[in-house]
């Protein structure tokens, strides 16, 4: 579904590339986690996948990004938005401001694409239902909590029925209640036929959701594999990404963690390991 | 109609309105007010339509932020008791970054929104605000925002033109009166010395506008200086007209 | 609602009118008030059209309060200044030392004041009874470019957040001992640390805001459709044509000199 081939990117007015030689293939329906220290280029990678780089932010792209066979750099954004959507960190800035109610805000993209009104009504109702925000339909998007706004931002992408959804630390500016709302919605997405790329520093959440995790450090992909392997790798500490509480506990437990067993990244794995040792 | 034709037609309508009002000096009949309102309204609408047509999405995203800046800073200035309006910093910012057309649209729409939210009596002055954005953009085009003194001087000139453009509205629509006792009294004093109403409102404007715009342009210059270079070069207008001096950040 | 300063929600029939009908009414009232040089004409418009419409929509309290806040000082000053200093003079009604009150000046003040009441009142009526979102939707349906509708809608909605930030910055600066007492130059200078963070912060959001629009295909060249449909009726369409006719008639009557 996503094919990235030797992707490099340099921002306008700067010399140093932010992304270098990135190769990545994500098959349809996969839930990919991306981790990396701050400044590694995670947001830039997300924007390159969604086409905002170079279409909105400019700069120099080398290599190729393809979404469902469409060459991102060569495809105008209005043709891309039905293939790939993105949710970023700041909920306030993702509300378009064009509309005064949540339902209209969700419909905004469809209006711009010229979708017939009957189809819009159905699509908006479906997204409101899936995200369980029917009760917010007539509210102003600016009067909502951060978590609710983030759901609206997610819904505004889902309503255009994209094949790929890129989420760039969608809960980093939310309180715990807001984060829970967003992760519940992501859990719902997992059961759908949609390819998800989730950039997240709460790596325990990735361990729970992701089929596969890649590590981005200093603009380069350094590691790629199943979450159990990647998230427990010792290098993660040295790169400033850290481990889950469960991995840390097992490492600190020393001899009490069964020798030969893989380090845990989820609560269940930790319980199983420690249970077996006792 | 092509966007540039709309802008040109709008500007012509505004100029023709001003010339008619100054030459004809319509008296107590409401025709003067009607011509002032209709001419300026039609002119502003044409300019807004033509200008927004050409705006990139980035520029369109900049405009609401700029208008919010105008309104909030204008109210802050009021709150801190400074005898200046300072309600056009956002207009000048857009004019300098995104060009005269974008500046004009920002100006006119600032008045529309000010009217929609705070005070509807401001709306007829949309054309003055459009003029400020246009002149800020033109000043940036000829390089006035590369040096602080040039920026201040272009503010002074813009203020003089503002006084001229807004005086027919003050005179014919509002009869020289404003919510401020001070400015209204000044108009009265000029009339007492035998000036016509239009001349009196013009002279009153010439007392307050040039100072306000000089300060506004200077402040905007300082703010632009503090912006990261990446943002200053974000808009095609600023890049292609080399609006900013290359090493401006080092001189500060 | 905090975001919309004038709109007063209601269930009256006037609230349900198409915003374009109300806009046409406002424009027609203003044009005829200014076009016809008859002193009592704006009074007739007020009593026969504007006030009944305001009463029918149930917004009279805010209407009167807002009108007096905006216009009372202006009108008061208008009468004082023009009564005393209106060029030409005319009959002297009253002499106060070196100053004298002239009939022509008072007449001019009265004309201007009555027209101002119609001008402000008409638009206030529109704003009080029409949700800005509905106004924009109705205007876009009639050909207003979506970019303009976007700018108006987005600005109205982000202003409250900006005001909050400005308040925060103002309080922080006051806590640090911002001086607001000295001369003009130092007061303007004191404003710089106040407004720079506000403006720089706001500008840093522009990229994300343009992404938010591009992500919804705002740059699309497709023929746009509308999720919301603003109701209209044949009666309203007819009314709009009649209002246009009335406005044109008023202008014609004055310019041909039939009414003077």
């Amino acid at each position: 579904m996503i094919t990235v081939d030797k992707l490099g990117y340099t921002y306008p007015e700067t010399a140093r590339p932010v992304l270098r030689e990135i190769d990545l293939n994500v098959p349809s329906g996969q839930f990919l986690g991306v981790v990396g220290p701050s400044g590694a280029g995670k947001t830039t990678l997300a924007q390159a996948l969604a086409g905002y780089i170079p279409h909105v932010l400019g700069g120099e792209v080398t290599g190729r990004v393809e979404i469902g066979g469409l060459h991102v750099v060569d495809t105008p954004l209005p043709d891309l938005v039905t293939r790939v959507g993105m949710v970023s960190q700041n909920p306030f800035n993702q509300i378009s401001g064009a509309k005064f109610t949540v339902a209209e805000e969700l419909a905004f993209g469809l209006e711009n694409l010229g979708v017939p009104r009957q189809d819009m009504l159905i699509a908006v109702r479906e997204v409101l239902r899936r995200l369980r925000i029917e009760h917010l339909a007539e509210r102003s998007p600016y009067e909502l909590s951060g978590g609710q706004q983030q759901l609206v931002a997610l819904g505004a992408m889902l309503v255009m029925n994209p094949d790929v959804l890129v989420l760039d630390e969608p809960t980093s500016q939310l309180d715990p209640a807001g984060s829970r709302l967003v992760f519940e919605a992501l859990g719902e997405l997992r059961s759908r036929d949609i390819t998800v790329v989730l950039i997240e520093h709460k790596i325990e959440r990735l361990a729970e959701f992701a089929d596969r995790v890649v590590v981005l450090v200093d603009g380069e992909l350094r590691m790629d594999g199943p979450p159990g392997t990647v998230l427990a790798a010792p290098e993660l500490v040295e790169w400033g990404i850290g481990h889950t509480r469960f991995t840390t506990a097992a490492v600190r437990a020393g001899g009490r963690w069964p020798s030969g067993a893989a380090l845990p990244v989820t609560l269940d794995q930790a319980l199983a390991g420690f249970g077996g040792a006792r | 109609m092509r966007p540039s034709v709309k802008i040109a037609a709008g500007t012509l309508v505004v100029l023709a309105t001003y010339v008619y009002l100054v030459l004809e000096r319509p008296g107590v009949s409401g025709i003067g007010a009607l011509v002032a309102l209709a001419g300026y309204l039609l002119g502003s609408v044409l300019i807004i339509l033509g200008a927004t047509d050409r705006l990139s999405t980035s520029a369109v995203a900049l405009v609401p932020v700029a208008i919010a800046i105008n309104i909030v800073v204008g109210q802050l200035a009021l709150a801190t008791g400074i005898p200046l309006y300072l309600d056009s910093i956002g207009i000048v910012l857009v004019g300098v970054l995104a060009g005269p057309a974008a500046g004009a649209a920002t100006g006119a729409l600032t008045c529309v929104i000010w009217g929609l939210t705070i005070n509807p009596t401001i709306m007829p002055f949309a054309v003055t605000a459009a003029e400020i954005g246009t002149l800020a953009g033109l000043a940036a085009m000829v390089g006035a925002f590369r040096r602080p003194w040039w920026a201040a001087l272009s503010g002074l000139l813009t203020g003089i033109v503002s006084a001229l453009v807004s005086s027919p509205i003050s005179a014919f629509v509002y009869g020289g009166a404003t919510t401020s006792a001070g400015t209204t009294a000044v108009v009265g004093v000029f009339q007492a010395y035998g000036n016509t109403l239009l001349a009196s409102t013009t002279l009153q404007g010439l007392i307050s506008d040039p100072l306000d715009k000089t300060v506004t342009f200077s402040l905007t210059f300082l703010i632009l200086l503090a912006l990261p270079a990446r943002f200053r070069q974000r808009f095609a207008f600023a890049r292609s007209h080399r609006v900013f001096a290359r090493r401006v950040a080092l001189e500060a | 609602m905090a975001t919309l300063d004038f709109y007063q929600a209601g269930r009256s029939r006037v609230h349900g009118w198409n915003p374009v009908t109300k806009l046409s009414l406002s424009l027609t009232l203003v044009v005829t008030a200014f076009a016809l040089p008859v002193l009592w004409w704006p009074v007739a418009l007020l009593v026969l059209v504007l006030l009944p419409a305001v009463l029918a929509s149930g917004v009279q309290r805010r209407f009167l309060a807002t009108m007096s806040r905006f216009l009372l000082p202006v009108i008061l000053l208008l009468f004082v200044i023009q009564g005393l200093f209106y060029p030409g003079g005319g009959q002297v009604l009253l002499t106060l030392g070196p100053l004298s009150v002239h009939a022509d000046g008072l007449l001019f003040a009265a004309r201007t004041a009555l027209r101002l009441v119609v001008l402000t009142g008409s638009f206030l009526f529109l704003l009080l009874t029409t949700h800005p979102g509905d106004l924009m939707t109705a205007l876009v349906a009639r050909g207003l470019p979506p970019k303009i509708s976007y700018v108006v809608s987005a600005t109205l909605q982000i202003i409250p957040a900006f005001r909050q930030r400005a308040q925060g910055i103002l309080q922080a600066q006051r806590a640090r001992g911002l001086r607001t007492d000295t001369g003009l130059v130092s007061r303007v200078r004191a404003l710089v640390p106040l407004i720079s963070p506000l403006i720089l912060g706001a500008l840093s959001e522009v990229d994300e805001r343009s992404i938010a629009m591009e992500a919804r295909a705002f740059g699309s060249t497709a023929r746009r459709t509308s999720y919301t449909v603003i109701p209209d009726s044949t009666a309203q369409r007819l009314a709009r044509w009649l209002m246009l006719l009335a406005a044109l008639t008023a202008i014609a009557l004055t310019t041909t000199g039939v009414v003077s």
Side-chain angles (χ1 to χ4, degrees), chain A residues 47 52 56-57 77-78 81 90 92-100 103-105 107-117 120-121 124 140-143 156-157 160, chain C residues 1-4 131-133 137 149-150 153-154 156-158 161-162 165 205 207-220 222-229:
Chain A
Q47 289 170 338
Y52 307 151
V56 185
L57 301 171
L77 261 186
V81 295
N90 184 327
F92 179 79
N93 288 345
Q94 286 176 87
I95 303 297
S96 76
K99 301 292 173 173
F100 289 84
E104 288 175 301
E105 171 76 14
F108 183 47
L110 299 177
E111 288 187 337
N112 291 328
L113 290 168
V115 172
R117 180 160 180 269
M120 274 198 271
L121 291 172
V124 169
S140 157
Y142 284 94
E143 290 173 352
M157 299 294 118
M160 291 187 282
Chain C
M1 245 191 277
T3 49
L4 319 165
H131 189 290
T137 307
S149 154
Y150 169 81
S153 306
L156 291 178
Q157 297 190 86
I158 62 174
F162 274 53
R165 280 184 226 170
E205 288 177 4
D207 274 344
E208 283 195 19
R209 302 194 152 277
S210 56
I211 285 178
M213 291 157 70
E214 297 275 23
R216 320 284 171 82
F218 194 72
S220 164
R223 199 187 163 80
R224 285 178 166 75
T225 45
S226 181
Y227 178 81
T228 314
V229 172

Side-chain angles (χ1 to χ4, degrees), chain A residues 29 31 126-133 151 154-155 158 165 167 180-196 205 208-209:
Chain A
F31 199 117
E126 167 67 10
V127 164
L128 287 168
R129 193 187 59 73
R130 269 174 71 181
L131 297 175
R132 296 200 209 104
I133 50 173
L151 290 186
L154 176 62
L158 288 179
L165 194 63
L167 302 131
R180 205 173 319 120
L181 275 180
V182 172
F183 279 118
E184 273 169 25
L186 293 188
E188 207 268 348
L189 279 185
R190 230 185 105 70
S191 58
R192 300 269 163 174
D193 183 28
I194 183 166
T195 310
V196 178
R205 291 294 193 168
E208 187 183 327
F209 285 115

